[in-house]
Amino acid sequence: MRARRVAYRADGWGSGELWLDGERLLWHELPRPGADRDEPHPLADRLRAFFAGEPVSFDDVELDLEWCTPFQLAVAETLRRVPRGEVVTYGELAALAGYPGAQRAAGTFCAHNRFPVVVPCHRVVAAMGIGSYGSQGIEYKRRLLALEDVAL
């Protein structure tokens, strides 16, 4: 495997990066404030469009999921089917993936998601509120949901 880094800038969000093996996505870092070079790549173009508020689909993006357990794979596949503009709770996500009662494990998967936006963990909320969003924080999650016209 030979990983290639592609940096991109999203207006109003900052710089993000993709790590790819050919066209297979290995890792995605969400944009953060700061400047990096802006490289042309079809997936980077789609991410720029997403962060500009356009209704972009990532259903066809090939992901490196070889490291996943059967549970993690089921959660990732289920999460990719949660439509833009909708949210599910961690418990609902676990049940939809075939693992009712595994909401904490679903939350752990989301917390370690290598493919934010492509595997849209921002669409998963806590039963009693928005829930967390790792080092990016709740306001970042609110901004992502606002792009999809979700108000919590």
Side-chain angles (χ1 to χ4, degrees):
M1 169 176 55
R2 184 179 165 125
R4 177 173 66 118
R5 177 183 179 264
V6 175
Y8 69 94
R9 282 194 303 266
D11 289 341
W13 293 83
S15 296
E17 60 185 43
L18 305 167
W19 289 91
L20 301 152
D21 178 13
E23 293 306 310
R24 184 173 61 154
L25 184 60
L26 304 172
W27 193 275
H28 173 219
E29 288 290 331
L30 288 168
R32 296 176 185 254
D36 201 341
R37 61 182 187 259
D38 200 24
E39 301 174 75
H41 187 276
L43 182 54
D45 293 342
R46 288 162 71 181
L47 285 161
R48 280 186 212 88
F50 172 85
F51 286 106
E54 295 179 29
V56 178
S57 171
F58 298 102
D59 294 347
D60 63 329
V61 175
E62 181 186 357
L63 302 175
D64 173 28
L65 296 171
E66 294 172 11
W67 54 272
C68 286
T69 66
F71 169 79
Q72 292 168 325
L73 189 58
V75 170
E77 290 171 350
T78 301
L79 192 45
R80 289 186 89 180
R81 292 191 302 267
V82 174
R84 176 186 175 87
E86 294 185 22
V87 295
V88 296
T89 66
Y90 293 102
E92 290 168 337
L93 176 60
L96 289 168
Y99 294 87
Q103 62 269 16
R104 291 185 78 168
T108 298
F109 174 83
C110 290
H112 299 286
N113 182 9
R114 297 179 182 185
F115 316 107
V117 176
V118 177
V119 176
C121 56
H122 63 280
R123 296 180 186 156
V124 185
V125 297
M128 302 298 244
I130 192 167
S132 64
Y133 201 62
S135 65
Q136 299 286 8
I138 292 171
E139 289 311 311
Y140 198 99
K141 185 174 186 174
R142 283 189 205 284
R143 284 184 74 195
L144 290 173
L145 291 171
L147 285 176
E148 300 181 354
D149 297 320
V150 175
L152 295 176

